[in-house]
Amino acid sequence: LGVFYIDRHEARDMAADRNEAISYAAYRMLHARYVDAFGGTESVARFDSLMEALCYPIEDTTTEGDSPAALGNRIAAAVLAATIDDGANEANGYQADYTAINQPLVVAGSGTAMSDPNRWQPLQIGEMISQNGIRVENGVQEFIDPHWGYVASFALGDPGPDGLPLDPGAPPYLGDPTSDQEFKDSALEVIRFSSLLDPAADITIDISPHSLGNNSLGANDGSGHAMNPLTGQPYASNLVNQADFGRAVAEFWADGPSSETPPGHWNTLANAASDALAPDLRLGASGPVLDRLEWDVKLYLALNGATHDGAIAAWGTKGHYDYSRPISMIRYMGGIGQSSDPEQPSYHERGLPLQPGLVEVITEESAAQGQRHEALGAFVGEIAVLSWTGTPEDPETQIGGVDWILATDWVPYQLPTFVTPSFAAYVSGHSVFSRAAAEVLAAFTGSDYFPGGLGEWTIAANSFEFETGPETDIVLQWATYQDASDQAGLSRLYGGIHVRADDFAGRIMGAAIGEAAFAEAQRYFAGG
């Protein structure tokens, strides 16, 4: 049963006619979606070249008759017509009514002022590359798609008047009697992750499934898997430099400009899993063997139905709660002081918590020659944090490293042209997309575990984009799809993009979305 188009056609050559119809449908959809996008000219040229290589003339635009081309064109037209008024406001360039409550944070400057530290603050970046690859000089971010919670979904419920098809509840707020400390501790945790990104520290950790993964939903409480259930053997150790691991996961899962984005990332992982399972492709690991085309069509429907709904639920939540990002949290709290000790300098009840060796007040003694804050001697009484120092002058040969810097100068481990995505933090889109996709893959393949009980992806030596490294290949490993999705969520803390409330709430939402999408896909599979 089709989602947007239902019809039956006879074919003289089923395989050839089906391939042609699919090609025309895909071409018309891709052309419509990309022709007016940034880089659209290059994209459309590639689509045209592929159709030419397949010997399918793009001039054949007819939607009348029973030819494979007409059928494909008709399918694309039906999808485009069904989605033109789906709540995204496509007809008006996807515009939304939104005004930020906070003035922009100038990243190249120091500190920030906020009308409300719990609300999202746009960034002003000297040379900005937007999420879709547009380069803007001295650009100020605009919130991308705060209205997306109202978009028609695949398997979600009614979004209601607030555009919240799924409401995870409020995040922690600075100054709130019940969640103030959680807000502060969350910012502190992001600083701690940033402090781990110096490979010169030469700390080695085991990142194999024997040590990592197996978390309960919405937590980082797992200690790995005792053994690979598909081989009956323990997982081998995978020892790597701790900083290289943190930098690798931050970059691998980043999916910023010039990337395939998180939903595309999970399609890539799904393709690799399908390749490993082939030719024994059985839905839910039972029933008849499916040919690869049927398997892929059904998998993509369930998987991308889930990520589609993930975008709706996550951005509905982002638009509703309009939550602050770590760069704003840390610079704001660090700028007004420390909240741990009223007897020490720079006390403010909304300041950063102090933690020896991580967040400290700069003193005459600590700033003396040869002491840890020597480079900050001009800032006695202000707050220093031990963190990644920022993008080095030559990222191809240098690292930023970790050192004591002013809290008001803190930056996430990201490209300086990107820094932080252009929308509110809560909840993490990575966490929602990834857990939704993981649940679909587990249900579709009939196992939580990657084929063979081990999924792997190699980060090649010297392939980092944010700074030089790693010195050796880093092989990321996951026993289960859920382990991989949890790592995607955690990567955003290493990267300084999210706090744990964004991540954990996103994982929980994603699990519900994935389960609902797979159930809805099964209804279509059964023709109901």
Side-chain angles (χ1 to χ4, degrees):
L1 180 65
V3 178
F4 295 103
Y5 181 89
I6 303 173
D7 204 351
R8 291 187 180 276
H9 293 264
E10 294 183 355
R12 289 170 297 179
D13 185 335
M14 178 64 75
D17 288 356
R18 186 167 53 194
N19 288 343
E20 183 175 349
I22 290 172
S23 295
Y24 273 95
Y27 173 77
R28 299 297 173 204
M29 284 298 305
L30 289 168
H31 188 281
R33 294 299 186 218
Y34 284 91
V35 66
D36 293 325
F38 180 79
T41 301
E42 293 82 0
S43 298
V44 169
R46 292 191 177 189
F47 306 151
D48 291 351
S49 295
L50 180 56
M51 289 291 281
E52 182 180 357
L54 294 170
C55 299
Y56 298 143
I58 60 175
E59 297 81 11
D60 190 348
T61 60
T62 183
T63 57
E64 302 294 329
D66 293 329
S67 70
L71 175 59
N73 291 335
R74 208 155 52 236
I75 291 170
V79 176
L80 291 170
T83 56
I84 190 65
D85 191 24
D86 63 355
N89 198 21
E90 179 183 349
N92 295 306
Y94 307 100
Q95 294 299 307
D97 184 17
Y98 174 87
T99 301
I101 195 170
N102 290 305
Q103 292 299 307
L105 182 161
V106 181
V107 175
S110 187
T112 189
M114 301 182 76
S115 299
D116 185 343
N118 294 305
R119 302 282 294 276
W120 181 67
Q121 180 177 43
L123 304 183
Q124 183 171 344
I125 302 172
E127 184 182 16
M128 180 173 69
I129 299 179
S130 67
Q131 192 83 16
N132 53 357
I134 301 174
R135 188 178 296 273
V136 182
E137 294 297 326
N138 207 31
V140 175
Q141 294 178 329
E142 295 183 4
F143 196 131
I144 298 173
D145 301 332
H147 63 301
W148 218 253
Y150 298 100
V151 171
S153 71
F154 179 63
L156 292 174
D158 187 338
D162 294 326
L164 278 172
L166 284 178
D167 187 357
Y173 291 127
L174 185 65
D176 177 76
T178 62
S179 60
D180 174 81
Q181 192 60 49
E182 183 182 355
F183 182 101
K184 294 171 181 174
D185 289 345
S186 295
L188 200 66
E189 182 177 36
V190 172
I191 296 170
R192 188 176 302 112
F193 274 107
S194 183
S195 75
L196 302 177
L197 299 179
D198 189 356
D202 200 25
I203 299 171
T204 300
I205 61 171
D206 181 10
I207 64 168
S208 75
H210 182 73
S211 297
L212 300 181
N214 203 19
N215 298 315
S216 55
L217 179 60
N220 286 329
D221 57 0
S223 56
H225 302 262
M227 65 174 54
N228 184 330
L230 302 185
T231 65
Q233 299 297 315
Y235 287 100
S237 295
N238 181 7
L239 301 177
V240 302
N241 181 289
Q242 178 179 249
D244 282 348
F245 170 70
R247 296 188 300 160
V249 296
E251 293 205 19
F252 174 72
W253 294 106
D255 294 319
S258 302
S259 81
E260 58 205 350
T261 74
H265 206 143
W266 279 92
N267 275 264
T268 299
L269 293 175
N271 290 340
S274 299
D275 291 343
L277 291 169
D280 189 27
L281 300 171
R282 303 173 189 269
L283 179 58
S286 63
V289 173
L290 306 181
D291 67 59
R292 185 60 186 265
L293 179 60
E294 181 179 355
W295 172 272
D296 284 345
V297 168
K298 290 181 174 178
L299 174 58
Y300 294 153
L301 173 64
L303 180 64
N304 293 301
T307 55
H308 170 75
D309 284 1
I312 293 168
W315 264 253
T317 306
K318 289 175 183 291
H320 180 74
Y321 289 105
D322 195 38
Y323 197 52
S324 185
R325 290 277 184 179
I327 187 171
S328 297
M329 295 176 174
I330 293 168
R331 287 197 180 193
Y332 174 80
M333 287 192 290
I336 60 177
Q338 54 87 12
S339 58
S340 296
D341 189 351
E343 303 303 318
Q344 286 200 47
S346 303
Y347 176 78
H348 193 289
E349 62 181 7
R350 293 193 175 189
L352 273 174
L354 296 177
Q355 186 172 108
L358 187 68
V359 180
E360 299 181 349
V361 177
I362 302 167
T363 65
E364 294 285 356
E365 293 77 16
S366 69
Q369 186 175 2
Q371 299 303 308
R372 61 191 181 282
H373 300 152
E374 178 183 357
L376 303 175
F379 304 97
V380 170
E382 297 189 33
I383 307 301
V385 296
L386 185 67
S387 286
W388 185 63
T389 63
T391 307
E393 189 171 311
D394 182 6
E396 292 190 5
T397 62
Q398 298 173 327
I399 62 169
V402 169
D403 205 345
W404 288 98
I405 62 173
L406 292 175
T408 50
D409 292 342
W410 187 87
V411 291
Y413 182 74
Q414 300 290 321
L415 291 170
T417 52
F418 182 65
V419 186
T420 286
S422 187
F423 37 79
Y426 186 75
V427 292
S428 166
H430 274 63
S431 301
V432 175
F433 287 132
S434 299
R435 189 55 182 242
E439 294 298 334
V440 168
L441 284 171
F444 201 92
T445 63
S447 173
D448 288 342
Y449 288 82
F450 279 88
L454 182 64
E456 294 185 316
W457 204 277
T458 299
I459 310 298
N462 300 311
S463 66
F464 286 162
E465 294 185 21
F466 301 175
E467 59 183 12
T468 191
E471 288 191 0
T472 62
D473 290 355
I474 302 294
V475 182
L476 301 180
Q477 296 179 321
W478 322 281
T480 69
Y481 301 112
Q482 292 87 349
D483 290 346
S485 71
D486 286 353
Q487 187 181 92
L490 184 64
S491 76
R492 307 305 270 171
L493 277 75
Y494 274 110
I497 295 294
H498 284 291
V499 296
R500 70 163 54 195
D502 307 335
D503 177 19
F504 288 174
R507 296 186 199 183
I508 294 168
M509 288 174 65
I513 291 166
E515 292 170 2
F518 183 70
E520 180 69 357
Q522 285 183 297
R523 187 175 70 83
Y524 285 102
F525 300 162

